[in-house]
């Protein structure tokens, strides 16, 4: 028999994976794109056609600029390349302009911007403990590359729905990699840049703040603290500098007063469970004559896709309340990191918990935000068994919760195939990596994940054929978000458990 | 990673690329009055659903054979009928007699694409997986790599999911036939191949090797005794399958004749368009299309096809083993492609040479992406898994790229067809080279590794 050919020590597999996924992204150029496509086209147009002073005042289109200035400069840079594809897309009044050249350009810009993500993943692989002599498919760096480059969430959100998350997460992962490599100034700089690209990353700023202060500043000289402060402040200065006169306007755009505790589609967080509990109580209350149906707020009984969900039994939730809940949820993790830093691993775990805590308790959270927890968790998953199990739970549930983003029939096979692809890859590769020591998931977890299959069948195949589709069209969405909320909450609790109970393994790991 | 997970990843990648290609345009999209192959398939659903069987292949007031008349064997017609029933359930307008001509809509496109995917998953993909699992040399990673390359082969994907055809059915059935023969299940193999033949008459390209292999095997087992018994069983299987497929057409002697007339339109001439075969290339030098009479053309093509196919078939007859069988398949299809009558450029299913056709269909982007992906992937896997780095491998991408460039450049005004013709002739020379090479390999059997003894 022919022996297994030994793999040479080359890195060509990385480029093969990167090239392969880029080809796949190219094939998806003609797929459905959401209104986010028009959002970015509008931003290309307004940064190109208007002077800087007008960028945050422009309101011809409903999709006003609501990202920080560095992203606006990014769009400005892109717009200069856009000229060569189709000049008409840069005209602001051309609302919903989507010529083939426009689609091609915008899709290609996302694909090309992903190069940043590729570079970041390569850097992250360097931070892993390498096992010599393992065959390629069992190497942690190969598995991590697969989990990140071929991440289902990124693929469908960026390359079908349309966003620039790959590029942004590239900056985040690069910052994390720099911290793992003890190049803290670079890491801090990259994170400041990231905050100025998309302010949603404020979710994880506490983790950065506490970690840097604890590990860096108070243990070394004051000069370090000053340098760090200078780096961060100067980044913000360069970004917001040109807009210093219009700061209130910019801030009002960045942090709009959004109506509604939940998005039209409930992100699978605590508030989804809260809403369901409220609805259940109100129904039970009416049934047992404890509540008068006429006294209940109208919106809660018609229910569904309204932005404003008024609670009838349980107390209403205000933005301030959610902020308090979020802070309370992440404080124990921050405390733990302050007391026992545990190096880069602990920082990463705290980061994931901050991301997940903000997802769980935040105001008007979008379900795409789950990626902020899943992607960094991949780094932990290839390093420890427990984290691999939590990752599997969170990623499968989180990815499934993204399904309603692609609601067209044409994209249905794509999302099912890609979901299966990623799930099988992550399950099989992590199982191979940690084959010693039993199963990664206990039977209850496996049952929960398998339950997603009947859920999908009911929501997307059976339910649309029933009479209730007309009267209660929101029911499948509600079911999906509630079911996934259970999994996400469970992952959150387990993550906390692993953080609070983990011993100080600073001596063992290479990730210091 | 375990084998089953690797194979499922390959399948899922193959399925994803197929469906992603299907987002793009199809042949004849938005081009009245004739449209293209997509409309032809829809029309066949309309005809088979609304008209009685004895009218399917005839020119009647209800069935205008000039507008995409049925020109595939009965199994295609039955397949269209089944699809038509489903179509009727979803939206009767899709198969309304006469009224649905040129019907185009987004949901209809989804339906048609879904029918291709369904038959692909049912027939072609399982055959490929089993083939790679049982009949590929090498350790498991090589088998998976082979499966991946086959599943991502751009020619089939672009024609089936882009241009629109059902090649995966006939190829899949033929592959099941090969599988059957390889596993020693001759009856099953013959059944599968007969079905393939009854789906697309193009499978005749592969029929002689099947015949010679089975006959040779029976002769080896002794024509008096077991061999004869086996031969009788196989012949019976084939005849019964044919009879079952053609049953509705056997009531009246005119029926099968008409069907055959539709399947083999000798009236259409030696070749159409630019095809990379002998006649088209020869026509550049000597205008044989006009010089020779139709009967002479027929005779010439028949004689040359026979000439090129005979050595390979006779060798297979004398040595009926699997390796010979596979080579004979290649040689036979090449011979038919190069020398037979009325060959279509699609027959070769080689993506590089179908570029003009695909550009016309609006499939340039998927063509570029799938071809490049396939090239890189196969070269990467080949160089890593077989530890060979022959410079010969780099010849093929170079060839493909130069062919593609030819198609892009502007030809001089005096010879507007210069570049397509050059491409045709270049391809023809390559195929001629292939057929000579593979014939030599099959006939002379140079020293090969006896590593796999999966022959029977």
């Amino acid at each position: 028999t022919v022996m297994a050919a030994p793999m040479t020590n080359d890195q060509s597999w990385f480029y093969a994976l990167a090239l392969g996924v880029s080809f796949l992204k190219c094939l998806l150029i003609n797929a459905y794109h959401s209104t986010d496509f028009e959002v970015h086209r509008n931003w290309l147009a307004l940064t190109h056609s208007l002077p800087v002073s007008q960028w945050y005042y422009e309101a011809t289109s409903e999709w006003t600029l609501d990202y920080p200035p560095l992203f606006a400069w990014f769009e400005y840079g892109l717009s200069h390349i856009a000229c060569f594809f189709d000049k008409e897309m840069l005209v602001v009044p051309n609302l919903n302009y989507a010529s083939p050249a426009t689609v091609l350009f915008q899709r290609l810009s996302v694909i090309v911007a992903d190069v940043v993500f590729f570079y970041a993943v390569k850097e992250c692989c360097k931070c892993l403990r390498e096992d010599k002599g393992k065959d390629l498919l069992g190497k942690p760096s190969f598995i991590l590359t697969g989990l990140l480059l071929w991440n289902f969430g990124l693929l469908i959100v960026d390359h079908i729905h349309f966003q620039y998350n790959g590029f942004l997460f590239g900056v985040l992962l690069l910052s994390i990699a720099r911290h793992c490599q003890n190049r803290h100034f670079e890491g801090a700089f990259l994170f400041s840049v990231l905050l100025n690209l998309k302010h949603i990353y404020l979710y994880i700023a506490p983790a950065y703040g506490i970690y840097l202060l604890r590990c860096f500043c108070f243990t070394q000289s004051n000069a370090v603290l000053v340098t760090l402060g200078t780096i961060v402040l100067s980044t913000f200065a360069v970004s917001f500098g040109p807009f210093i006169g219009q700061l209130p306007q910019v801030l009002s755009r960045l942090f709009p007063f959004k109506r509604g505790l939940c998005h039209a589609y409930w992100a699978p967080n605590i508030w989804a469970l809260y809403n369901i509990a409220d609805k259940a109580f109100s129904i039970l209350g009416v049934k047992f004559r404890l509540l008068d149906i006429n006294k209940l707020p109208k919106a809660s009984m018609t229910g569904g896709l309204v932005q404003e969900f008024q609670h009838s039994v349980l107390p209403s939730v205000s933005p301030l309340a959610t902020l308090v809940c979020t802070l309370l949820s992440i404080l124990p993790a921050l405390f733990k990191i302050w007391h026992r830093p545990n190096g880069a691993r602990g920082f990463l775990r705290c980061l994931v918990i901050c991301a997940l805590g903000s997802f769980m308790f935040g105001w008007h959270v979008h379900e795409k935000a789950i990626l902020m927890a899943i992607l960094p968790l991949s780094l932990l998953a290839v390093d420890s068994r427990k984290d691999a199990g939590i990752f599997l739970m969170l990623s499968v549930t989180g990815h499934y919760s993204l399904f309603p983003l692609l609601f067209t029939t044409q994209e249905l096979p794509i999302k099912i195939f890609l979901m299966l692809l990623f799930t099988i890859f992550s399950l099989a590769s992590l199982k191979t990596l940690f084959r010693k020591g039993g199963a990664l998931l206990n039977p209850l977890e496996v049952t929960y994940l398998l339950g997603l299959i009947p859920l999908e069948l009911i929501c997307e195949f059976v339910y649309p054929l029933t009479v209730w589709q007309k009267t209660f069209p929101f029911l499948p969405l509600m079911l999906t978000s509630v079911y996934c909320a259970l999994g996400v909450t469970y992952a959150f609790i387990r993550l906390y458990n692993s953080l609070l109970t983990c011993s100080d393994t600073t001596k063992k790991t290479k990730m210091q | 990673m375990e084998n089953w997970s690797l194979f499922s990843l390959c399948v899922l990648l193959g399925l994803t690329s197929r469906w992603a290609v299907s987002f793009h345009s199809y042949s004849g999209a938005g081009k009245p009055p004739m449209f293209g192959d997509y409309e032809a398939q829809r029309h066949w659903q309309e005809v088979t659903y609304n008209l009685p069987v004895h009218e399917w292949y005839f020119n009647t007031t209800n069935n205008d054979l000039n507008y995409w008349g049925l020109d595939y064997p009965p199994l295609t017609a039955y397949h269209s009928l089944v699809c038509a029933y489903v179509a009727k359930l979803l939206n009767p307008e899709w198969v309304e007699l006469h009224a649905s001509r040129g019907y185009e809509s987004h949901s209809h496109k989804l339906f048609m694409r879904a029918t291709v995917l369904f038959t692909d998953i049912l027939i072609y993909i399982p055959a490929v997986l089993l083939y790679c699992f049982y009949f590929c040399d090498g350790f498991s990673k090589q088998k998976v790599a082979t499966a991946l390359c086959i599943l991502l082969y751009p020619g089939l994907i672009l024609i089936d999911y882009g241009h629109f055809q059902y090649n995966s059915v006939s190829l899949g059935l033929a592959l099941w036939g090969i599988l059957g023969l390889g596993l020693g299940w001759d009856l099953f193999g013959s059944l599968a191949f007969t079905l393939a033949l009854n789906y697309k008459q193009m499978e005749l390209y592969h029929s002689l090797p099947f015949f010679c292999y089975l006959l040779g095997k029976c002769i080896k087992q002794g024509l008096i005794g077991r061999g004869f018994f086996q031969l009788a069983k196989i012949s019976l299987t084939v005849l019964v399958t044919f009879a079952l497929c053609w049953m509705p057409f056997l009531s009246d002697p005119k029926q099968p004749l008409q069907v055959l007339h539709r399947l083999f339109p000798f009236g259409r001439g030696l070749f159409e368009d630019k095809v990379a075969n002998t006649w088209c290339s020869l026509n550049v030098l000597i205008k044989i299309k006009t010089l020779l009479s139709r009967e002479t053309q027929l005779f010439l093509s028949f004689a040359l096809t026979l000439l090129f196919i005979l050595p390979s078939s006779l060798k297979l007859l004398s040595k009926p083993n699997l390796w010979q069988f596979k080579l004979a398949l290649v040689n036979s299809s090449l011979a038919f492609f190069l020398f037979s009558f009325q060959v279509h450029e699609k027959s070769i299913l080689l993506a590089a040479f179908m570029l003009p056709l695909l550009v016309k269909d609006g499939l340039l982007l998927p063509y570029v992406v799938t071809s490049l992906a396939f090239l890189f992937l196969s070269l990467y896997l080949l160089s890593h898994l077989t530890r060979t780095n022959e410079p010969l491998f780099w010849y093929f991408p170079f060839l493909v790229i130069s062919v593609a460039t030819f198609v892009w450049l502007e030809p001089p005004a005096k010879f507007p067809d210069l570049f397509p013709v050059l491409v045709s002739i270049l391809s023809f020379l390559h195929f001629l080279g292939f057929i000579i090479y593979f014939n030599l390999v099959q006939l002379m059997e140079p020293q090969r590794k006896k590593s796999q003894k999966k022959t029977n």
Side-chain angles (χ1 to χ4, degrees), chain B residues 2-275:
Chain B
E2 293 151 20
N3 257 0
W4 72 264
S5 46
L6 283 172
F7 271 115
S8 13
L9 291 179
C10 291
V11 171
L12 286 167
L13 273 172
L15 290 174
T16 311
S17 359
R18 280 162 167 71
W19 193 254
V21 169
S22 80
F23 288 173
H24 298 84
S25 179
Y26 48 79
S27 110
K31 293 202 183 104
M34 282 304 275
F35 302 95
D37 270 345
Y38 175 91
E39 167 64 15
Q41 296 285 351
R42 189 214 58 75
H43 181 69
W44 294 346
Q45 291 172 12
E46 172 197 334
V47 163
T48 53
Y49 185 81
N50 291 301
L51 301 177
V53 178
H54 58 263
E55 276 187 45
W56 287 357
Y57 287 90
F58 281 89
N59 212 349
T60 65
T61 39
N62 279 334
N63 186 13
D64 178 13
L65 287 183
N66 279 328
Y67 184 79
W68 302 114
L70 261 174
D71 53 6
Y72 282 137
L75 216 55
T76 300
Y78 303 145
H79 180 214
S80 300
L81 183 62
V82 170
C83 293
Y85 272 107
V86 180
K88 190 83 180 181
L89 266 171
L90 295 170
N91 184 348
E93 277 182 48
W94 294 344
V95 286
E96 208 58 64
L97 189 60
H98 300 313
S100 61
R101 250 195 210 190
Y103 189 98
E104 287 181 297
S105 84
H106 185 74
S107 42
H108 184 239
K109 181 180 169 199
L110 276 179
F111 164 70
M112 297 290 273
R113 298 291 196 204
T115 57
V116 185
L117 189 71
F118 182 72
T119 50
D120 216 344
I121 294 177
L122 207 63
I123 300 177
Y124 181 69
I125 292 183
V128 171
L129 290 178
L130 285 174
Y131 178 81
C132 290
F133 195 69
Y134 282 114
F135 297 115
C136 262
D137 301 331
F139 51 99
S140 60
K141 280 224 194 69
Q142 282 181 333
K143 297 189 190 201
V144 172
T146 315
L148 187 61
C149 286
I150 297 180
L151 286 176
L152 288 182
Y153 181 65
L156 192 57
I157 299 181
L158 288 168
I159 284 292
D160 272 14
Y161 290 86
H163 184 83
F164 203 91
Q165 277 203 342
Y166 288 97
N167 288 305
S168 57
V169 178
S170 55
L171 279 178
L173 285 171
L175 197 53
W176 279 108
I178 299 173
L179 267 172
L181 294 192
L183 290 169
W185 305 338
D186 292 342
L187 293 182
F188 173 75
S190 334
L191 171 70
F193 184 71
T194 316
L195 286 176
L197 202 53
N198 277 301
Y199 193 87
K200 268 200 180 163
Q201 68 272 36
M202 218 167 78
E203 286 300 321
L204 276 174
Y205 285 18
H206 300 140
S207 52
L208 212 55
F210 269 87
F211 177 73
C212 292
Y213 175 81
L214 287 169
L215 185 62
K217 210 170 134 193
C218 291
I219 292 177
K220 261 217 153 57
Q221 287 177 336
L223 263 183
I224 325 147
R226 263 187 68 202
F228 178 74
F229 195 47
Q230 185 74 349
L231 191 61
K233 279 200 288 191
I234 295 173
S235 323
L236 197 64
T237 316
V238 171
L239 286 170
V240 167
T241 317
F242 262 102
L244 282 173
C245 289
W246 288 65
M247 202 155 62
F249 303 97
L250 294 177
S251 50
D252 179 8
K254 264 200 299 177
Q255 288 279 339
L257 279 175
Q258 172 67 359
V259 177
L260 285 172
H261 182 74
R262 291 293 304 164
L263 295 185
F264 302 102
F266 291 124
R268 274 160 77 175
L270 196 53
F271 64 87
E272 269 174 31
D273 255 341
K274 317 280 170 298
V275 180

Side-chain angles (χ1 to χ4, degrees), chain A residues 5 8 10 12-13 23-24 26-27 30-31 135 137 150 409-411 413-414 417 420-421 428-429 431-432, chain B residues 1-2 5-6 9 12-13 15-17 19-21 23-24 106 110 139 141 365 369 372-373 376 380 384 387:
Chain A
T8 54
D10 70 326
S12 59
W13 56 263
F23 281 132
L24 178 63
C26 288
L27 274 183
N30 266 3
D135 94 300
L137 296 181
W150 286 76
T409 325
Q410 187 177 259
E411 275 64 33
I414 293 277
F417 293 152
L420 284 173
L421 187 76
S429 56
K431 205 165 98 165
T432 314
Chain B
M1 282 212 289
E2 293 151 20
S5 46
L6 283 172
L9 291 179
L12 286 167
L13 273 172
L15 290 174
T16 311
S17 359
W19 193 254
V21 169
F23 288 173
H24 298 84
H106 185 74
L110 276 179
F139 51 99
K141 280 224 194 69
L365 176 70
V369 174
L372 283 177
F376 276 112
Y380 174 80
H384 270 79
R387 320 298 301 154

Side-chain angles (χ1 to χ4, degrees), chain A residues 13-72:
Chain A
W13 56 263
F14 181 86
Y15 300 105
L17 282 177
L19 202 61
V21 79
S22 306
F23 281 132
L24 178 63
K25 293 171 188 172
C26 288
L27 274 183
L28 293 173
I29 285 179
N30 266 3
Y32 153 83
H33 51 78
S34 68
T35 47
D36 274 340
F37 181 87
E38 167 60 15
V39 170
H40 287 278
R41 185 215 63 79
N42 184 44
W43 294 354
L44 278 174
L46 69 89
T47 51
H48 189 86
S49 332
L50 299 173
V52 176
S53 53
Q54 288 294 309
W55 286 1
Y56 284 94
Y57 285 95
E58 168 57 37
T60 314
S61 162
E62 59 177 311
W63 311 115
T64 56
L65 190 55
D66 56 3
Y67 277 19
L70 276 186
F71 198 87

Side-chain angles (χ1 to χ4, degrees), chain B residues 281-419:
Chain B
S281 313
L282 213 55
N283 204 46
V284 175
L285 297 168
I286 330 159
K287 296 277 172 241
I288 34 168
K289 225 177 167 177
T290 41
L291 261 178
L292 305 169
S293 72
R294 214 191 57 167
E295 281 74 31
T296 328
Q297 287 172 4
L298 261 170
F299 175 73
L300 200 60
S301 102
F302 178 73
L304 273 172
T305 312
L306 201 64
L307 178 68
F308 269 82
I309 207 178
L310 222 46
S312 148
S313 311
L314 288 175
K315 179 72 194 233
L316 178 61
L317 202 59
S318 68
K319 269 200 184 182
N321 63 44
L322 218 56
W323 185 77
Q324 287 279 338
F325 176 57
K326 287 193 227 180
L327 275 173
L329 282 171
V330 172
N331 284 322
S332 166
S333 24
L334 273 174
F336 269 97
F337 177 75
L338 284 173
F339 297 103
S340 74
F341 214 75
Q342 255 298 310
V343 171
H344 244 292
E345 58 201 333
K346 291 195 289 276
S347 312
I348 200 65
L349 274 186
L350 229 71
F353 309 116
M354 293 190 297
L355 181 56
L357 173 75
L358 295 171
V359 169
K360 203 163 54 121
D361 288 344
L363 290 168
L364 180 64
L365 176 70
Y367 166 79
V368 168
V369 174
T370 49
S371 308
L372 283 177
F374 177 75
L375 267 174
F376 276 112
L377 180 74
S378 39
L379 285 171
Y380 174 80
L381 288 173
L382 261 172
S383 62
H384 270 79
L385 291 175
T386 60
R387 320 298 301 154
T388 46
N389 217 344
E390 278 190 53
L392 191 64
F393 287 155
W394 299 103
Y395 175 65
F396 289 101
F398 163 74
L399 185 68
V400 169
I401 293 169
S402 34
V403 164
T405 337
F406 264 140
V407 183
W408 275 113
L409 291 174
E410 287 292 313
K414 241 191 353 169
F415 306 107
D417 276 335
L418 180 67
F419 287 137

